[in-house]
Amino acid sequence: VQLQASGGGLVQAGGSLRLSCAASGGTLSSYRMGWFRQAPGKEREFVAAISWNGGYTYYADSVKGRFTISRDNSKNTVYLQMNSLNPEDTALYYCAASTIATMSPGAYRYWGQGTLVTVSS
């Protein structure tokens, strides 16, 4: 499975962005999907995850209430809607696919290339 993340960019604090993660070479509905991010000089951290059918979602405390993960299996795509962005959200955002429900990056088998989100103050 190849994952292609897109939708990053430069936004002012308080603004919104929607990231997309499109899959090819496989069926996305077979996987739990997650979003992770990595800021400069920091470790990669969990942001959000969604079950294979979208019935369950999980969020890091830092984004709960501001970010929403969703998926459209008919389009083989997962989304991350990000609202009320602040400079601490600046990072390279990655989508990833896992066969198990987990927040651990090591358990995700497939990764996209990352899309950069920059939030200015």
Side-chain angles (χ1 to χ4, degrees):
V1 176
Q2 290 80 45
L3 302 176
Q4 179 75 37
S6 62
L10 174 64
V11 63
Q12 288 188 332
S16 299
L17 282 175
R18 188 175 83 154
L19 305 184
S20 298
C21 175
S24 60
T27 303
L28 207 60
S29 60
S30 300
Y31 299 94
R32 280 78 168 177
M33 297 298 298
W35 285 96
F36 293 80
R37 68 186 181 185
Q38 188 166 16
K42 294 187 177 181
E43 293 186 354
R44 190 169 299 188
E45 66 173 359
F46 170 79
V47 175
I50 189 167
S51 60
W52 68 273
N53 65 351
Y56 294 94
T57 56
Y58 310 87
Y59 298 94
D61 288 343
S62 59
V63 307
K64 201 171 294 182
R66 300 188 298 121
F67 290 11
T68 302
I69 188 171
S70 62
R71 67 190 301 162
D72 185 341
N73 288 338
S74 68
K75 296 182 178 179
N76 241 14
T77 302
V78 175
Y79 306 97
L80 185 68
Q81 177 66 43
M82 306 186 296
N83 299 329
S84 301
L85 286 161
N86 58 63
E88 290 70 38
D89 296 315
T90 295
L92 196 59
Y93 282 72
Y94 299 88
C95 59
S98 173
T99 55
I100 62 174
T102 179
M103 295 182 287
S104 172
Y108 282 75
R109 183 174 181 181
Y110 302 106
W111 289 82
Q113 86 290 359
T115 184
L116 182 62
V117 172
T118 304
V119 184
S120 63
S121 58

